[in-house]
Each structure stands twice: as structure tokens, then as C-alpha cells.
Amino acid sequence: MAGHTATPARPGPAPTGAGSVVGVRETTTVRAKVRLRPVRPAGWWFDALLLTALIGLTVALAAEQFFGIDRAVADWSEAHRPTVAHWTAVVLNYLGQGTPLTLIALGLGVLLAVRLRSVRPVLPPVLAFALSYLTIGPLKVWTARPAPSASLKEPFLPAEQTLPLFQDELPLRFAQSYPSGHVANAILWYGVIALLLAPLLRTFGRTVPPRLVTVVRVVPPVVVLCTTTYLGFHWLTDSVAGLLLGLLLDRLVHRVPWDDLPLPGALRDWNRPFISAP
């Protein structure tokens, strides 16, 4: 309007009263970006390599490749299995039983959760169970491969019929050999146990040497792979497939930033970190 003189803006910070956009911005806490935890070897290339190797092995077996190696290893194992070695391998093979490992890992998670008053330690066993349930079992059903022992006990198949995949005409309980669930479970669950063990012992004032963590993660899966193949519970390629799948699932679990995952507000009193906890 003519004759009106504009009043100059007052210097200083803008008002931050109710309804002020600036005030809202100033009182809002910015959440730090959640980053994946590092794994070794670093990067996704190794995950892609594991997945490619698993797919490639499955395709090769579907084309009846590696049957000679599988048969040779199974025959050698059967010919070199004295009573003492047999029962020793049977006992050691229990290291890969999925249900006990699940309960042990969950128990460690619950104990650590109670001691830290945090729900976070329970999350790794839950994710591990979901991953194993959604991958190992369905793959066994889909590939429908008998075990080497299927020619020696029910359903008493001809030796040559125990090797191929996709034998859907067999009852389900006789065709669940590929991949080895014992091997995959051992890698996945001992990885979770190692993840929880160090922070749990810290709550008791104890520390776990890094070498012991490595032993927990490596030795049981290697023992299970050897015993399950030696006993004729699985073909060698079943165990190799379990190894590839288990390593892939283990890397997924260890990538999760457990201490930084956003949780519902209702859990704010049970939201403490556990991996980086003192």
C-alpha cells in the first residue's frame, strides 16, 4: 500500500514457540543411520559366491554329476567303520542336532536378556530359527534326495537309485538328504552361540579369548560334516551343500546391527545394547 514503510526484520534467532517449525526441528532427535555389522571376508561378493556355488552344485547333481565321488566316499566309509569308530562318530554327530542347539542358543539369549534387562539378545536366536525354517527344510523337500543308507534299510532302494535328486515319488521321510541339515544347523547355531557367549560372560566379569570363539564356531561344524558323511547319513555333496548354506545364513545373522535396531517405544526399558555392552 502506498505510503507504508516496511519494518525491518529483527535480528536474532527465529521464535521457537508452540507451532514453530524451527522449534519442532530443534527438539527432534535425529536417529543415527543404522549400519550393517562387518563380516569377514568383507563385502557381499562372498555371499554371492556361496549362493552361486550352492546353485551350481544343485544343478550339477540334477544333471547326475559328482555321483561317482559321492558313491566312492560312501563305499569307503562303509568299508572302514569299525564298531568303536561308528559309535564315536554317532556321539559326535549329536553336535549338529538342530533342536538342542536352538534351545541352547535361546536359553543363552534369555539369560543375557534378563541380566542386561534388554530384549535384544533374544533376537538373534529368533532370526536364526526363522532362517533355518525357511531354507533348510524347504530345500530338502524340494530336492527330494535319499540318503546313502536308503539302500541298506527302509525303503531298501537299489544302490543306483539312492543318488539322484527330485525323487518325488518316494515318501517324504525317505528323501530329505540334500542339503545336510546337521551341517547347516551346526554352522548357523554355533555362530549364534558364539555371538551371545562373550557378552554373557562379561556380565559375570569374565572374558572370552577370541581363539575360543573361533573354536566354538569352527570345530563343531567340521566334526559334524565329517561324522554325518562318514556314517552314511548324508552324501558328501549333501554335506558340502549344508556347508555353503550354513555359511550364507551365518553371514546374514552376523551382519545385523543388533545393538542399533530400532525397537518399539514400549520396549524402551528393555532396549539396552548387548554386543557392545561393557
Side-chain angles (χ1 to χ4, degrees):
M1 181 180 298
H4 176 74
T5 304
T7 303
R10 180 178 297 177
T16 58
S20 168
V21 174
V22 176
V24 172
R25 289 177 178 173
E26 288 182 353
T27 57
T28 301
T29 301
V30 179
R31 180 180 295 274
K33 183 179 180 181
V34 177
R35 295 185 178 181
L36 297 179
R37 297 178 64 232
V39 292
R40 292 186 297 176
W44 290 95
W45 66 269
F46 193 70
D47 304 71
L49 180 63
L50 292 171
L51 181 59
T52 301
L54 178 60
I55 294 173
L57 178 59
T58 306
V59 171
L61 289 171
E64 300 188 355
Q65 302 297 311
F66 301 123
F67 283 4
I69 297 175
D70 276 342
R71 184 81 266 169
V73 171
D75 290 345
W76 182 92
S77 299
E78 184 181 354
H80 297 81
R81 201 182 297 146
T83 302
V84 174
H86 170 84
W87 286 109
T88 300
V90 168
V91 172
L92 291 175
N93 193 247
Y94 280 104
L95 290 172
Q97 287 285 77
T99 299
L101 289 176
T102 302
L103 295 176
I104 291 171
L106 183 59
L108 292 176
V110 170
L111 179 59
L112 182 56
V114 172
R115 292 190 61 81
L116 292 178
R117 292 185 59 82
S118 172
V119 73
R120 294 183 184 275
V122 180
L123 301 180
V126 171
L127 177 62
F129 177 79
L131 289 175
S132 63
Y133 183 82
L134 294 173
T135 56
I136 299 173
L139 279 174
K140 285 176 171 290
V141 173
W142 175 61
T143 54
R145 189 187 200 189
S149 57
S151 62
L152 304 175
K153 57 184 181 181
E154 199 176 7
F156 299 105
L157 300 174
E160 65 274 9
Q161 192 182 340
T162 58
L163 284 158
L165 276 66
F166 308 120
Q167 299 194 49
D168 299 314
E169 70 281 358
L170 291 174
L172 182 60
R173 67 183 187 277
F174 298 135
Q176 297 189 58
S177 188
Y178 182 91
S180 169
H182 272 59
V183 176
N185 277 321
I187 295 172
L188 177 61
W189 286 113
Y190 283 104
V192 173
I193 290 171
L195 181 69
L196 297 170
L197 189 60
L200 177 60
L201 290 182
R202 282 201 301 270
T203 67
F204 292 97
R206 304 291 181 87
T207 58
V208 179
R211 288 186 179 181
L212 180 58
V213 174
T214 301
V215 168
V216 170
R217 296 193 64 183
V218 173
V219 172
V222 170
V223 170
V224 171
L225 187 150
C226 294
T227 56
T228 200
T229 305
Y230 176 68
L231 291 168
F233 294 164
H234 288 282
W235 301 104
L236 175 62
T237 49
D238 298 341
S239 297
V240 172
L243 173 68
L244 296 171
L245 179 59
L247 288 173
L248 181 60
L249 298 180
D250 175 77
R251 286 172 65 84
L252 292 176
V253 170
H254 281 79
R255 269 198 168 92
V256 177
W258 298 110
D259 284 352
D260 301 320
L261 285 180
L263 297 177
L267 296 175
R268 60 181 176 273
D269 293 333
W270 286 75
N271 195 20
R272 294 174 177 82
F274 72 95
I275 295 177
S276 58

